[in-house]
Amino acid sequence: MGSATEYNRRDIFKRAAGIAVLAAAGSPLLAACAGGTGGSDTKGAKSGGYDLADAKNPFGVDGKAGLEAFIFDGGFGSEYLKAFAAIYAKTYPDAKINQQADKDVTGKLQPRFNAGSPPDVIDDSGNKQIKLDVLVDSNQLTDLQPLLDAPYLDDPSKKVRDVLMPGTIDSGTIKGKVYNLSYVYTVFGLWYSAKLFKDHGWTAPKTWADFITLCGQIKAAGIAPLAHQGKYPYYINVAMLDMIAKQGGLDLMKRIDTLDPTAWDDPAVKTAIDSFYQVVDKDFLLPGTNGMTHIEAQTAWNQYKAAFIPSGSWLENEQLPSTPADFGMTFLPMPSLPGDRLPFEAIRAGAGEPFIVPRQAKNVSGGLEFLRMMLTKEASGKFAEVANSLTCLKDGVGPEVKLRPGTQSTVVALKAAGANTFNYQYPNTASKFDEDLQNASGELMAKRIGPDEWIKRAKESATKNKTA
């Protein structure tokens, strides 16, 4: 996979600096589509609305209508799309299914949104994603409320919303409505090689003090303690913002999400950032990592040039080509600081990888049904097998699915975390603030600014974008 295979997971899931943000002023997308009508209001509807009592075909899908699915070709690959298409084809064998995967979502799809002819279902992800808040502001997305209220295919006595992992609906909500299905349930934190640690007799640290001590030992052994994806500061922000959340608690996290400028005055912010900055100040970074793409940094880590790297759980699948068979990829929550309000086991975990149905798509009903089929046990299991990641379906991976070490370690971590999971929403809901924060973090990691200046910039951006 090339260097463009980075994900916003976003949302998710969401993941890159240098994101192709479509400016609110002068954007061709907004100019072409503002005030547009379409899709979900009329297409596939019966008697002015969907028949959600019909468990077999709640959206009124025309079985002969073609379906076009476009996905971001990133860390999860594109093989899973074939499995999803095959599931759709079993119910609608006469439907011609057009499958596409590409790394440049904006380049491929912005002209089609402008022309009013987008695909029917899209995985809008990657460092060249079309930002979700921009699409919402330009009235381009179908409200997925009918999907949530539709019967669950595996058990029609339940609604789709009943079988989703916690936070899935929140992750898909922008300005009070659900516009994306955040399909992949991602776990975020640090990663290390079990083999490397076993060979050196190192123990994975649970406290930040132990982490810093271990970093000194790792450096003394001739290995860099930490690599990061310097060209995409989203990744290092995961580590820093998770430390802030653990230190300050969920209320502080929510204040950050809502762009409350006073959140950055909370002592927990300074405690967390001062503590994290030790990895820069003590020269614990892999040389050159500040200029590396995600693939470059992660490959160096696979080559045992660094002990730790921050990422989401797409990492294992993304690094299959360069990961040694006995590497033992293992997940580690961010180590604890004294006075943390959340325990060590608490982790950022939630639904990401946003799937959307455009309002102007030719087959909105088919797009909604495609998403409903993605939430079956069959589809969830297929995704876990070929993409090495979990989905937002509760208990979506049965015992028959064999998981790789890294994915299995995230299952263990999720069980240990229990109810202590959290997930920031600002990458989806405040893309300009997210971009500013990433830019500040790039400067911090390069030691061009210090923690106080980083906090100042974060507060200034929150203030500016809160009132924008």
Side-chain angles (χ1 to χ4, degrees):
M1 302 174 189
S3 63
T5 62
E6 189 294 307
Y7 139 155
N8 166 332
R9 276 80 126 150
R10 56 225 205 187
D11 313 45
I12 20 295
F13 249 150
K14 302 206 177 180
R15 309 173 295 172
I19 290 173
V21 178
L22 301 177
S27 163
L29 175 64
L30 298 186
C33 302
T37 62
S40 61
D41 292 338
T42 57
K43 297 174 184 174
K46 294 181 179 180
S47 302
Y50 299 117
D51 183 7
L52 300 184
D54 182 355
K56 290 185 178 181
N57 192 8
F59 308 120
V61 175
D62 177 355
K64 295 183 180 180
L67 181 85
E68 184 180 1
F70 182 104
I71 65 166
F72 167 61
D73 188 5
F76 302 116
S78 59
E79 283 299 308
Y80 71 85
L81 180 57
K82 297 178 183 177
F84 292 171
I87 292 172
Y88 188 89
K90 282 193 296 185
T91 300
Y92 301 109
D94 295 330
K96 182 180 179 181
I97 304 173
N98 181 352
Q99 304 171 47
Q100 298 183 52
D102 201 281
K103 296 173 177 61
D104 186 0
V105 178
T106 293
K108 294 295 183 181
L109 297 189
Q110 182 180 336
R112 296 189 56 184
F113 273 101
N114 292 348
S117 61
D120 303 308
V121 61
I122 301 167
D123 169 24
D124 181 24
S125 189
N127 62 332
K128 294 184 179 180
Q129 108 184 120
I130 302 176
K131 297 303 293 181
L132 294 170
D133 52 352
V134 174
L135 287 171
V136 170
D137 287 343
S138 56
N139 198 28
Q140 287 297 302
L141 301 184
T142 298
D143 185 347
L144 299 185
Q145 185 74 29
L147 172 68
L148 300 178
D149 291 332
Y152 172 50
L153 272 166
D154 289 344
D155 181 359
S157 69
K158 298 178 180 178
K159 294 181 179 180
V160 166
R161 65 170 63 251
D162 299 330
V163 300
L164 301 178
M165 290 283 283
T168 302
I169 294 176
D170 290 341
S171 182
T173 300
I174 300 176
K175 298 187 177 180
K177 292 185 178 181
V178 179
Y179 288 108
N180 83 76
L181 173 65
S182 297
Y183 185 68
V184 183
Y185 203 76
T186 305
V187 173
F188 299 83
L190 295 175
W191 298 79
Y192 66 94
S193 162
K195 179 184 185 300
L196 181 68
F197 273 52
K198 182 179 179 181
D199 288 350
H200 288 271
W202 298 329
T203 300
K206 291 187 176 182
T207 69
W208 191 251
D210 287 345
F211 177 84
I212 293 298
T213 298
L214 177 59
C215 284
Q217 298 170 1
I218 292 169
K219 186 176 180 180
I223 300 170
L226 181 71
H228 82 109
Q229 304 85 335
K231 284 194 173 181
Y232 305 113
Y234 169 85
Y235 291 84
I236 206 65
N237 272 359
V238 168
M240 291 193 289
L241 271 291
D242 284 8
M243 290 180 72
I244 291 174
K246 285 189 169 187
Q247 176 73 188
L250 299 181
D251 287 343
L252 177 58
M253 186 194 76
K254 291 176 181 176
R255 289 167 60 200
I256 290 173
D257 267 340
T258 57
L259 303 190
D260 177 358
T262 66
W264 300 99
D265 299 326
D266 193 297
V269 173
K270 182 168 176 57
T271 296
I273 299 306
D274 282 349
S275 299
F276 184 83
Y277 189 68
Q278 292 178 78
V279 301
V280 178
D281 205 37
K282 294 179 180 291
D283 197 25
F284 286 158
L285 295 178
L286 172 70
T289 195
N290 286 327
M292 291 182 179
T293 67
H294 59 301
I295 296 297
E296 291 168 342
Q298 291 159 192
T299 300
W301 172 69
N302 282 151
Q303 295 168 345
Y304 305 109
K305 294 177 181 177
F308 292 104
I309 195 164
S311 187
S313 49
W314 61 82
L315 177 66
E316 185 164 42
N317 198 67
E318 192 166 60
Q319 290 304 113
L320 284 179
S322 62
T323 304
D326 60 350
F327 188 80
M329 193 176 293
T330 309
F331 174 81
L332 178 71
M334 290 305 299
S336 297
L337 290 167
D340 273 0
R341 296 190 181 184
L342 298 177
F344 162 73
E345 292 81 8
I347 51 177
R348 183 192 299 217
E353 204 71 13
F355 281 76
I356 58 175
V357 177
R359 294 184 75 248
Q360 294 185 324
K362 291 181 180 179
N363 189 1
V364 168
S365 294
L368 291 171
E369 185 64 11
F370 193 85
L371 296 184
R372 191 169 75 119
M373 290 179 176
M374 284 169 51
L375 292 167
T376 59
K377 276 270 193 179
E378 179 184 6
S380 182
K382 289 289 186 182
F383 185 86
E385 286 180 338
V386 299
N388 296 296
S389 287
L390 308 178
T391 75
C392 62
L393 178 66
K394 291 178 182 176
D395 301 318
V397 179
E400 73 282 358
V401 179
K402 186 175 181 180
L403 302 176
R404 292 180 179 271
T407 306
Q408 182 58 46
S409 73
T410 64
V411 174
V412 173
L414 278 170
K415 289 181 179 177
N420 290 308
T421 61
F422 58 90
N423 196 19
Y424 285 93
Q425 300 301 325
Y426 71 82
N428 285 340
T429 59
S431 57
K432 188 60 176 71
F433 170 74
D434 183 32
E435 184 182 11
D436 289 344
L437 202 59
Q438 291 183 41
N439 290 337
S441 295
E443 296 292 289
L444 182 77
M445 298 306 291
K447 215 172 184 177
R448 289 190 287 267
I449 65 173
D452 289 344
E453 176 63 21
W454 185 90
I455 295 170
K456 178 184 175 184
R457 293 187 184 188
K459 183 176 181 178
E460 288 175 348
S461 179
T463 302
K464 176 179 65 178
N465 289 289
K466 180 77 170 180
T467 58

